[in-house]
Amino acid sequence: MTVVLASVAFWAPVTYRLLGDDGQPETVQGRARYKRLKTSERRALDRRLRANRLTPDLRVAIRKQLDDQDSVFTPRERTEIEADLTAEPITDEQFLEATLVDWDFKDKTGQAIMYAPAAVRELCEDWDGFEAALVRGYTDAQQALLKPQEQEKNSEGPSATGS
């Protein structure tokens, strides 16, 4: 049985800052549409993102902890850590190939910049940092999902006196 709760993709704001023609920072604002990932796809993507942060020294330290006889990791934790250690890091380009499906950006003249994989590659090459801004648009949107949960978790319960 298939239950549809949301569309297959979502829009998120993207802000890109660059050095303008007059030497002052300029902000380009638009939005990008990202594929809504299945749970297994998101977990695989998250694992590859975590692999990006595992420096060789950190990998050695983690491996040492795993191999320690006094290790307190549960079998499930051990399996997850092993999977993180063997995951292939992901580049911003690969990330966008897996998630980006459309965008809404305009050039300086107000003309829409048509979305196409070739346009993504061209603009990411021409506008240094644009690729990272597109990735940040996705990750910021995902982080926004956690904010209400964090606020609820960290907020105090209602007062017993109502004041």
Side-chain angles (χ1 to χ4, degrees):
M1 174 174 89
T2 301
V3 177
V4 177
L5 296 176
S7 63
V8 297
F10 64 92
W11 288 98
V14 174
T15 301
Y16 170 64
R17 291 179 49 91
L18 73 157
L19 196 57
D21 295 339
D22 61 359
Q24 298 299 312
E26 230 176 89
T27 300
V28 175
Q29 297 203 322
R31 61 189 190 141
R33 187 167 181 167
Y34 302 96
K35 178 181 175 185
R36 192 178 308 279
L37 302 176
K38 294 179 179 181
T39 301
S40 58
E41 293 171 323
R42 184 195 44 79
R43 286 181 180 159
L45 186 65
D46 288 348
R47 188 175 306 285
R48 291 189 69 190
L49 288 169
R50 284 193 304 271
N52 285 356
R53 296 188 299 267
L54 294 177
T55 64
D57 290 343
L58 187 53
R59 286 176 185 273
V60 167
I62 292 170
R63 171 64 53 205
K64 189 174 180 180
Q65 285 182 334
L66 283 175
D67 294 342
D68 186 355
Q69 295 292 341
D70 297 327
S71 175
V72 294
F73 295 114
T74 66
R76 183 176 179 169
E77 289 171 332
R78 185 175 294 280
T79 300
E80 286 295 313
I81 293 168
E82 289 283 357
D84 282 355
L85 289 174
T86 59
E88 181 181 333
I90 191 168
T91 64
D92 286 349
E93 180 181 9
Q94 292 168 331
F95 183 93
L96 294 176
E97 285 173 5
T99 60
L100 186 64
V101 295
D102 198 1
W103 66 28
D104 179 15
F105 285 99
K106 294 182 177 22
D107 68 13
K108 275 189 129 174
T109 66
Q111 295 294 313
I113 302 171
M114 298 306 296
Y115 172 84
V120 174
R121 287 189 297 276
E122 182 179 338
L123 287 181
C124 288
E125 172 62 25
D126 290 348
W127 295 356
D128 186 35
F130 185 60
E131 191 172 55
L134 289 169
V135 171
R136 195 170 37 258
Y138 178 92
T139 57
D140 286 352
Q142 292 297 319
Q143 287 299 313
L145 286 174
L146 299 176
K147 287 182 182 174
Q149 294 169 348
E150 288 175 1
Q151 288 172 354
E152 184 178 309
K153 180 181 76 174
N154 294 328
S155 67
E156 294 181 26
S159 168
T161 62
S163 57

